[in-house]
Amino acid sequence: MAIRIGIDTGGTFTDVVAVDEDTGAIVTTKTPSTPDDPAEGFMAGIGRLDAADIAAVCHGTTVATNRLLEGRVGDLGFVTTEGFEFLLEIARQSVPDGYGNSYFWVKPPRIVPAHRVRTVGGRLDHTGAEVRPFDEASAVRAARWFRDQGVTAIGVCFLHSYADPTHELAMREVLRREHPDAVVSLSHEVLREYREYERSVTTLVDAAVKPAIGRYVARISERLGDVPLYVMTSNGGVLSASEVVDRPITTVLSGPAAGALGAAFVARAAAEHANVITLDGGGTSTDVAVVLDGEPTLTTEGTVGDYPSKIPMIDIVTVGAGGGSIAWISPEGTLKVGPRSAGADPGPLCYGRGATDVTVTDAHVHLGRIPPHLLGGEIPLDVPAAGEGVTALASTLGLKTEACATGILEISAWNQANAIRRITVKRGLDVRDFPLVAFGGSGPLLVCRLIDILGLPSAIVPRDPGNLSAFGLLTVDVRSEYVRTRVTRDPGPEELEELYTELEAQAGAALDRQGFAEHRYVRSADLRYHGQAFEVRVPVGRADAAEVAARFHDEHERLYGYCHRGDPVEWVNLRVAGIGPIERPEPPVRPPGDGDPARARTGVRRVFFDDWAEVPVYARERLEPGDVLTGPAVVEEFGSTLPLHPGFSARVDGHGNLVVTR
């Protein structure tokens, strides 16, 4: 019996899913996260499975994400071309929310301050031709300066090194010789495409998280022994631990990416929904994404914290609207919720660990919408403490306690709704056309309000929603992506084939290192109209340049509502994704029940929706396909809870999902 395990480490809980590769049986569990050393929670989760024969472990981690969100980038060093020492300071002229905000906007601190930037002589032109030779003497001076200053994480980005990496490779050899303790990231290995500022920052982000990711992966790998470890990457694939250590920036959206993929898999299998919105509600934040044609949308214009990262990543919007989000009073005297979170320690007031701030979870507990315990009784909750905290906050605001608790949940729901609007309405999509897949420990708690606020057709709550991100880790292929800038308006077929073949060789070598005999390649390209500054990505396959240009016109029209079919098209970046396929688990189809959900009823509880009332409580694991529940009701399970408001119903489909409609 071989077991594959998916582990997603969140801010509050570490979620674990195990699949028996022989029988397809699925087992889920959770364990509290250990923020001081996430590897402890990781191993505790595996220990709870008592699995003897582990075939592989797939892991989604927030180690890189949290370091960047918290601005913990350490003492970085930057090496660039002589004369370009202020590249990071100049940056781009764009201002968030438009130039009307330019008076108020404060430029964030650059990732490397000016005094830790060193330049090296030598110059390439945009074709990669050498204009001035690499100046080894200045490279040695730079390396020794970093060594003497104790700067051990260094990013190197030379002008036009995407066209020819020779100078960057020479710089690495100098650093190895003069400063062997340094961890070095080279821009042509991290992001081999043009635009010096974005490539520099992406390289520096890689260098910033490389030591922490290296230590974390090494600790886990050591404890796993010979068991293969794969880590979720931001682009919707997984990579072996050894590959991730070399390019840690690929993990910056590791955890949220797994959730979006798991939700897409469930929606596709259960109801054949190719287009859905995914909502992953955790303890600290909520992540939302859009799935089109069965796949989460990708972007190369993402940011993590203050730092733009041009690597391919699933297009995810994150807001501080999780179960641990803190309710607070603004200087103007109004109630706010998030983005600050109580996290796993001390957590909400109801955890009984000495917290002093009211959270979203406390509001749910006080209103009776979640049970007085978590994880099937493993974590008892202090209901009176939650009530006392909400009452004190309500008194300060001059509100009744129930109105204050309901207001906290309403603000949290609108925070989530606004995040969903950002990835739908603001991108030309009608949110009313998309069912919502809600998961995560806190994801299902507000689905009824989101259906009302956004006019959604329905919401799907999968089985074991608190573990869906961990399950998503078991549904994705190994994926290595490579890019090359080649700006041209008239690419010859031989030139295109040569470049794509070279990129496929790089991707194939990465898959070989990870033990995959079967390889699959996906070709794409970034194109634009001549004179434009930004590109649109289109699939290439084996098509000729004219057919790819036609696809570009179609995609441009779909995205922006117009196109210019007679205008010249410019190729900018060529991309290849190398895919090592894995065997996906099949979601089991369950036979219909007798249609009477009374078998799942465990009792009643006093719950506040529009008023206090005795509301029936159902055990999710006892519900059968075909059962229909009408609100008000509460559906409880090991890792999550669904409060079903008055006027809503929930139907159990053939895969055990709850489909909520008004």
Side-chain angles (χ1 to χ4, degrees):
M1 181 177 69
I3 303 294
R4 267 195 311 129
I5 300 175
I7 299 183
D8 178 54
T9 300
T12 307
F13 291 108
T14 294
D15 307 327
V16 185
V17 173
V19 174
D20 187 325
E21 293 186 328
D22 298 326
T23 66
I26 298 174
V27 177
T28 65
T29 188
K30 279 176 174 280
T31 187
S33 293
T34 50
D36 292 338
D37 183 4
E40 288 293 332
F42 179 99
M43 296 308 300
I46 290 181
R48 298 192 64 161
L49 294 173
D50 194 25
D53 185 13
I54 302 176
V57 174
C58 296
H59 182 35
T61 174
T62 56
V63 170
T65 314
N66 291 343
R67 290 188 72 87
L68 297 174
L69 290 176
E70 295 166 14
R72 294 186 291 125
V73 295
D75 293 336
L76 280 174
F78 182 42
V79 180
T80 190
T81 302
E82 188 176 56
F84 288 81
E85 58 267 35
F86 298 113
L87 185 154
L88 297 176
E89 188 64 42
I90 296 169
R92 294 295 179 202
Q93 58 184 338
S94 58
V95 173
D97 299 321
Y99 282 96
N101 190 41
S102 59
Y103 181 80
F104 305 97
W105 180 64
V106 178
K107 195 173 185 177
R110 61 203 228 157
I111 191 169
V112 176
H115 71 276
R116 288 205 300 271
V117 177
R118 288 294 176 269
T119 62
V120 172
R123 183 71 177 270
L124 306 174
D125 69 13
H126 72 283
T127 68
E130 190 173 74
V131 178
R132 291 195 299 273
F134 177 74
D135 182 359
E136 184 161 340
S138 60
V140 169
R141 286 195 298 272
R144 290 176 177 174
W145 186 88
F146 287 125
R147 181 194 63 198
D148 295 342
Q149 297 297 315
V151 176
T152 57
I154 301 169
V156 179
C157 182
F158 289 145
L159 200 66
H160 302 307
S161 57
Y162 60 86
D164 187 330
T166 304
H167 286 191
E168 287 192 351
L169 293 170
M171 186 69 218
R172 177 158 62 190
E173 290 307 312
V174 171
L175 285 165
R176 281 176 174 168
R177 186 175 69 241
E178 302 291 338
H179 190 6
D181 294 333
V183 174
V184 180
S185 292
L186 304 183
S187 73
H188 79 273
E189 293 179 342
V190 176
L191 183 73
R192 195 166 178 176
E193 61 180 88
Y194 85 144
R195 294 194 173 104
E196 251 58 38
Y197 172 68
E198 286 80 4
R199 185 155 49 88
S200 295
V201 175
T202 304
T203 302
L204 289 164
V205 168
D206 185 78
V209 300
K210 190 173 279 187
I213 288 289
R215 290 191 297 269
Y216 177 62
V217 170
R219 285 200 302 274
I220 292 176
S221 298
E222 182 180 350
R223 299 185 192 189
L224 287 176
D226 295 331
V227 176
L229 173 65
Y230 295 93
V231 180
M232 185 76 204
T233 56
S234 308
N235 64 3
V238 291
L239 285 177
S240 68
S242 58
E243 293 287 323
V244 161
V245 168
D246 289 336
R247 295 180 67 198
I249 193 173
T250 57
T251 69
V252 293
L253 286 179
S254 176
L261 288 156
F265 183 82
V266 165
R268 212 165 46 236
E272 298 182 352
H273 288 302
N275 301 330
V276 296
I277 297 164
T278 72
L279 182 143
D280 182 359
T284 304
S285 62
T286 294
D287 306 306
V288 296
V290 171
V291 174
L292 296 176
D293 297 326
E295 297 290 340
T297 54
L298 291 172
T299 181
T300 54
E301 304 296 330
T303 60
V304 182
D306 293 326
Y307 313 116
S309 296
K310 287 276 291 178
I311 61 166
M313 60 178 67
I314 290 178
D315 196 359
I316 291 172
V317 171
T318 299
V319 290
S325 294
I326 292 171
W328 53 284
I329 300 174
S330 72
E332 297 79 25
T334 58
L335 179 63
K336 304 282 187 181
V337 179
R340 196 162 59 92
S341 172
D345 190 12
L349 292 171
C350 59
Y351 278 21
R353 296 177 182 167
T356 57
D357 296 309
V358 176
T359 68
V360 171
T361 296
D362 294 313
H364 280 296
V365 168
H366 176 68
L367 296 177
R369 298 187 187 179
I370 61 177
H373 54 74
L374 297 178
L375 303 189
E378 290 185 27
I379 301 178
L381 299 180
D382 189 340
V383 178
E388 290 167 9
V390 175
T391 299
L393 183 63
S395 176
T396 305
L397 291 165
L399 296 173
K400 291 184 177 180
T401 303
E402 290 80 4
C404 180
T406 304
I408 290 170
L409 302 186
E410 188 72 1
I411 293 169
S412 185
W414 277 90
N415 288 342
Q416 293 182 358
N418 289 334
I420 291 172
R421 285 194 174 108
R422 283 172 59 190
I423 60 167
T424 53
V425 177
K426 287 191 173 183
R427 299 179 190 182
L429 302 173
D430 190 339
V431 68
R432 296 168 298 182
D433 295 335
F434 292 79
L436 176 74
V437 181
F439 57 99
S442 68
L445 291 171
L446 296 171
V447 296
C448 292
R449 286 300 300 134
L450 291 172
I451 289 174
D452 269 349
I453 292 169
L454 296 169
L456 301 170
S458 63
I460 301 167
V461 181
R463 295 177 63 190
D464 298 313
N467 291 68
L468 188 68
S469 290
F471 175 77
L473 291 162
L474 303 176
T475 69
V476 297
D477 299 317
V478 171
R479 187 180 182 101
S480 298
E481 299 207 12
Y482 294 87
V483 60
R484 183 74 53 81
T485 292
R486 178 68 177 96
V487 182
T488 177
R489 274 189 279 172
D490 187 24
E494 297 83 4
E495 179 190 20
L496 285 179
E497 187 60 33
E498 181 181 347
L499 286 170
Y500 274 119
T501 300
E502 186 178 335
L503 290 170
E504 287 176 355
Q506 288 181 266
L511 293 173
D512 288 339
R513 289 193 297 271
Q514 297 173 83
F516 281 86
E518 182 181 349
H519 300 174
R520 185 161 55 87
Y521 302 107
V522 177
R523 295 179 175 185
S524 60
D526 301 339
L527 278 69
R528 65 189 179 194
Y529 291 116
H530 180 62
Q532 282 187 328
F534 295 96
E535 300 82 43
V536 172
R537 186 176 305 176
V538 295
V540 172
R542 300 290 172 178
D544 60 23
E547 187 176 342
V548 174
R551 292 175 184 171
F552 164 75
H553 294 306
D554 293 340
E555 183 66 7
H556 196 283
E557 186 167 26
R558 187 187 71 80
L559 289 172
Y560 304 111
Y562 71 95
C563 66
H564 301 290
R565 295 191 184 273
D567 287 6
V569 171
E570 195 167 56
W571 293 60
V572 179
N573 297 314
L574 281 65
R575 300 179 183 273
V576 163
I579 297 171
I582 60 125
E583 187 174 341
R584 291 172 172 78
E586 287 293 331
V589 177
R590 298 168 57 188
D594 57 14
D596 183 8
R599 86 182 81 77
R601 186 163 170 167
T602 60
V604 295
R605 186 166 66 241
R606 197 162 175 263
V607 180
F608 187 94
F609 286 113
D610 301 320
D611 202 348
W612 288 105
E614 295 294 320
V615 169
V617 178
Y618 295 88
R620 172 103 187 242
E621 63 272 14
R622 300 183 200 168
L623 293 172
E624 301 290 348
D627 289 349
V628 177
L629 306 177
T630 56
V634 176
V635 183
E636 297 178 356
E637 58 186 302
F638 178 75
S640 191
T641 302
L642 170 65
L644 197 61
H645 290 228
F648 287 82
S649 66
R651 173 181 56 84
V652 184
D653 70 10
H655 292 274
N657 303 299
L658 290 171
V659 182
V660 181
T661 53
R662 194 162 213 345

